[in-house]
Amino acid sequence: GQNIDQPTEMTATEGAIVQINCTYQTSGFNGLFWYQQHAGEAPTFLSYNVLDGLEEKGRFSSFLSRSKGYSYLLLKELQMKDSASYLCAVPYGQNFVFGPGTRLSVLP
Amino acid sequence: DTEVTQTPKHLVMGMTNKKSLKCEQHMGHRAMYWYKQKAKKPPELMFVYSYEKLSINESVPSRFSPECPNSSLLNLHLHALQPEDSALYLCASSQDSPDTGELFFGEGSRLTVL
């Protein structure tokens, strides 16, 4: 089975940097996804890591360590619109198993 | 076209009604999904269709009945629902199995059961 854990809530200030962690225990590993979900909207794809290391995409970066079962999403130069839930997810068979999600609040 | 389109966006129904949620994608994806999401919770898988065949049913009550008329369309038929079934229902699609690529989500259908 799959077990994924994330902090429930985080708060940060506009312009700052925030790191959202995700730990996972899986039987088999086929990569890890990060999704952003604004309240009442659908999740949107942010990043995919299958190899160890850092993937950078604009203000967002995602890191993976397969040996530690650990990933993080790094958000730089935070903007108010970054207030959302951030979900890490791992594919498992024909399913995506989502973590509980981290609700990020960006304050002015 | 990289969209998954869901209709209706909002639905209010009584416990004796019969209604349907519809989902459409034109990306040539061969896997389509229904997820249920309650407030402040992650999406929970309900059904997976792979190549138009039901491949996963996550022990969903029979008052939810999925249908895949063709590779672009996915329906969720609703009958005799309970108030606790009120949630955001998300449709998603992927190229093939999830380990080959990301899920693309529709905007969801927000269902309220009175």
Side-chain angles (χ1 to χ4, degrees):
Chain A
Q2 316 292 80
N3 187 36
I4 304 174
D5 199 22
Q6 300 178 239
T8 305
E9 294 192 19
M10 299 183 71
T11 303
T13 306
E14 196 174 12
I17 298 173
V18 71
Q19 178 175 310
I20 302 174
N21 296 327
C22 172
T23 57
Y24 63 89
Q25 294 171 307
T26 63
S27 52
F29 181 76
N30 290 300
L32 186 143
F33 291 79
W34 282 96
Y35 280 82
Q36 179 191 58
Q37 186 176 26
H38 287 98
E41 298 182 10
T44 55
F45 170 78
L46 289 178
S47 68
Y48 173 58
N49 295 69
V50 66
L51 299 176
D52 290 351
L54 188 67
E55 296 275 345
E56 297 189 69
K57 194 185 291 186
R59 293 189 298 114
F60 293 7
S61 303
S62 56
F63 172 83
L64 177 68
S65 169
R66 288 173 296 173
S67 61
K68 295 180 179 175
Y70 168 67
S71 174
Y72 67 71
L73 182 69
L74 192 70
L75 291 74
K76 303 176 186 175
E77 301 169 16
L78 279 173
Q79 302 175 9
M80 300 297 290
K81 67 179 182 180
D82 297 329
S83 293
S85 286
Y86 292 86
L87 301 151
C88 63
V90 294
Y92 180 66
Q94 289 192 298
N95 187 11
F96 266 68
V97 179
F98 286 89
T102 299
R103 280 197 309 281
L104 174 66
S105 298
V106 180
L107 305 177
Chain B
D1 184 1
T2 57
E3 282 190 347
V4 176
T5 304
Q6 287 187 244
T7 55
K9 288 188 170 31
H10 299 275
L11 179 63
V12 179
M13 60 187 291
M15 290 190 283
T16 58
N17 292 157
K18 283 186 181 180
K19 298 285 185 183
S20 297
L21 306 180
K22 298 184 182 301
C23 175
E24 190 169 1
Q25 58 88 13
H26 295 289
M27 294 178 278
H29 288 175
R30 305 317 299 254
M32 295 186 77
Y33 310 75
W34 280 115
Y35 281 87
K36 174 183 177 179
Q37 188 176 26
K38 302 284 269 186
K40 300 184 180 180
K41 297 289 186 183
E44 293 180 6
L45 183 67
M46 299 175 73
F47 303 104
V48 180
Y49 273 83
S50 179
Y51 291 83
E52 301 168 46
K53 293 192 188 314
L54 182 64
S55 59
I56 294 181
N57 175 342
E58 289 287 334
S59 303
V60 180
S62 60
R63 57 186 185 267
F64 295 91
S65 174
E67 178 196 18
C68 188
N70 60 55
S71 60
S72 299
L73 295 174
L74 185 66
N75 299 323
L76 186 63
H77 301 300
L78 315 171
H79 175 52
L81 294 192
Q82 304 296 310
E84 60 264 29
D85 296 322
S86 298
L88 181 68
Y89 288 84
L90 293 163
C91 174
S93 69
S94 64
Q95 183 73 33
D96 200 326
S97 57
D99 56 3
T100 61
E102 70 197 76
L103 280 184
F104 290 79
F105 283 91
E107 292 189 349
S109 293
R110 184 160 298 283
L111 174 67
T112 302
V113 182
L114 301 177

